[in-house]
Amino acid sequence: MGDASKELQENRPIIYVTGFGPFDSHPVNASQIAVEKLVKQNLESDLGVKLVTEIVKVEYEYVKKTVPQRWKELKPKLVVHVGVSGMAETLTLEQLAHNHEYTRSDNCGCLPNQGSCCPDGDPVLKSGIRMDLISSKLNKMIHLKLSCAKSTDPGRFLCDFIYYLSLNEDRIRAAFIHVPPLSKFSAQDISASIAAAIKEMYAQVLELENEEQKEV
């Protein structure tokens, strides 16, 4: 990832997107490859934003340190985390994240303290972004190769964990997308669908911002 201060100096709203590196049965992580290809999806020119992408380690402590730091440095308008699921057949938009019951060891063989993301936090955090609306819109886009679905089960591993951390920072500006492995779809097709979802998410964030300003 580029220097945070340099990104801020460009004075454009920032969309921060992460993918995960290799783990277990995914020596090549589809989320990493698809996120790396987002630069070719014209998000910056189409939305008037600065796209910042980063591939994060599949480690609880690394994620717990990195995510709050990025929120502070970048002050992003939208944060979208992307992860792979071997069971996914679609682009899967996660609506919520869980705080407790993390029992699967990370790449370092470690677990989070007390098996929790934020021990004193709420059991579940829900994104203010309407994933059902985005799923409906994407499924009408005939140029996309992946269908899209909403989910409420991110899986109690690093995907769930990183999502909870971001929702704990800002529930209106955080989202998580599960993608299928590269054996099911090409990285280019996955990336195109992620970009379409990001555009819809960003539109919702701007709409929610406008509503909040009217209430002030």
Side-chain angles (χ1 to χ4, degrees):
M1 192 193 73
D3 179 74
S5 61
K6 182 179 178 181
E7 307 292 357
L8 288 171
Q9 288 170 7
E10 296 199 18
N11 211 26
R12 281 182 285 168
I14 288 176
I15 295 180
Y16 172 57
V17 184
T18 70
F20 279 106
F23 73 101
D24 292 352
S25 58
H26 297 275
V28 178
N29 194 317
S31 71
Q32 174 176 350
I33 308 304
V35 166
E36 289 174 343
K37 288 184 176 295
L38 278 178
V39 68
K40 298 180 180 179
Q41 295 296 332
N42 301 319
L43 286 170
E44 291 192 328
S45 57
D46 290 349
L47 300 178
V49 301
K50 176 65 181 177
L51 177 67
V52 179
T53 63
E54 182 173 11
I55 306 307
V56 298
K57 300 177 183 179
V58 184
E59 300 173 11
Y60 291 109
E61 282 303 312
Y62 176 86
V63 167
K64 190 162 187 177
K65 176 184 177 181
T66 300
V67 170
Q69 184 177 335
R70 296 294 182 257
W71 277 94
K72 182 178 179 181
E73 292 172 344
L74 298 173
K75 298 179 174 58
K77 185 75 74 172
L78 172 66
V79 171
V80 181
H81 301 296
V82 183
V84 66
S85 169
M87 297 181 293
E89 300 288 343
T90 64
L91 195 77
T92 307
L93 309 181
E94 301 294 348
Q95 188 65 68
L96 53 82
H98 303 90
N99 190 8
H100 308 297
E101 299 179 12
Y102 289 92
T103 59
R104 183 178 175 184
S105 298
D106 63 14
N107 279 359
C108 293
C110 298
L111 293 171
N113 183 36
Q114 300 180 39
S116 299
C117 188
C118 304
D120 297 326
D122 294 336
V124 175
L125 294 180
K126 183 177 180 181
S127 176
I129 299 172
R130 289 280 303 275
M131 303 303 175
D132 55 338
L133 297 181
I134 295 171
S135 177
S136 178
K137 287 187 177 182
L138 263 61
N139 283 330
K140 295 174 183 176
M141 297 180 183
I142 59 175
H143 67 285
L144 298 177
K145 300 295 179 63
L146 281 73
S147 60
C148 188
K150 169 190 166 182
S151 167
T152 56
D153 184 13
R156 293 301 208 286
F157 192 40
L158 265 299
C159 292
D160 209 345
F161 191 82
I162 197 171
Y163 193 18
Y164 188 95
L165 284 170
S166 275
L167 289 172
N168 196 49
E169 294 288 336
D170 193 326
R171 302 183 197 188
I172 301 301
R173 304 177 192 279
F176 190 95
I177 300 174
H178 263 124
V179 300
L182 295 173
S183 59
K184 298 179 182 179
F185 294 94
S186 73
Q188 181 65 27
D189 289 340
I190 294 172
S191 186
S193 293
I194 292 171
I198 289 173
K199 289 179 180 180
E200 296 298 329
M201 290 170 179
Y202 188 67
Q204 279 198 34
V205 168
L206 295 182
E207 185 177 342
L208 289 166
E209 272 190 350
N210 289 334
E211 291 176 1
E212 289 179 349
Q213 289 173 1
K214 289 177 182 178
E215 292 174 359
V216 174

